[in-house]
Amino acid sequence: MFEQNGVTYTLKFTQQKLKTIETITKVSIVGEITRANGFMPYNILESLFSFALIEEQTKEVVKQSKATEMFEKVVEENGLATTNMAIVEKLQEDLGFMFR
């Protein structure tokens, strides 16, 4: 998905992570995606990113505090719309059942 300091990172969503994110944010992720035609609020994107960020090669989960800092950099470098679309695409890839 992106690289920082020579390390490649990606997102990996699971049903358990989705449950955690929905509990913390108190919103349905599918509801947010459909309600806003695919563009979610900043805080929802940040939660999705920070809970699902892993190192691509090792598959190690990135600590949430570090992932939150990285989210801000990714948004600044790539733009919010591009970051949003990358997160939605990864949700579709990992949790396709949500979109059927």
Side-chain angles (χ1 to χ4, degrees):
M1 181 173 187
F2 70 97
E3 187 176 315
Q4 187 176 45
N5 298 328
V7 179
T8 304
Y9 297 91
T10 190
L11 299 175
K12 180 63 181 165
F13 292 101
T14 64
Q15 290 182 7
Q16 185 58 47
K17 285 182 184 180
L18 179 65
K19 289 177 193 177
T20 301
I21 293 163
E22 289 185 336
T23 299
I24 289 170
T25 61
K26 296 179 175 47
V27 298
S28 162
I29 299 304
V30 172
E32 284 297 311
I33 292 170
T34 55
R35 183 185 65 77
N37 294 321
F39 287 92
M40 293 180 281
Y42 190 92
N43 66 320
I44 302 297
L45 292 171
E46 183 179 61
S47 293
L48 286 164
F49 186 93
S50 66
F51 277 97
L53 189 65
I54 62 169
E55 287 188 28
E56 192 169 68
Q57 186 176 4
T58 64
K59 305 296 186 224
E60 288 183 39
V61 175
V62 177
K63 290 184 180 183
Q64 190 178 6
S65 59
K66 180 179 178 183
T68 299
E69 290 175 19
M70 293 171 75
F71 175 74
E72 293 173 5
K73 291 177 185 175
V74 168
V75 169
E76 288 175 13
E77 291 174 7
N78 301 294
L80 189 58
T82 299
T83 304
N84 182 93
M85 294 314 298
I87 291 171
V88 171
E89 287 173 7
K90 195 64 173 133
L91 279 166
Q92 289 173 328
E93 182 181 314
D94 293 348
L95 301 173
F97 69 91
M98 292 174 41
F99 301 91
R100 289 187 220 134

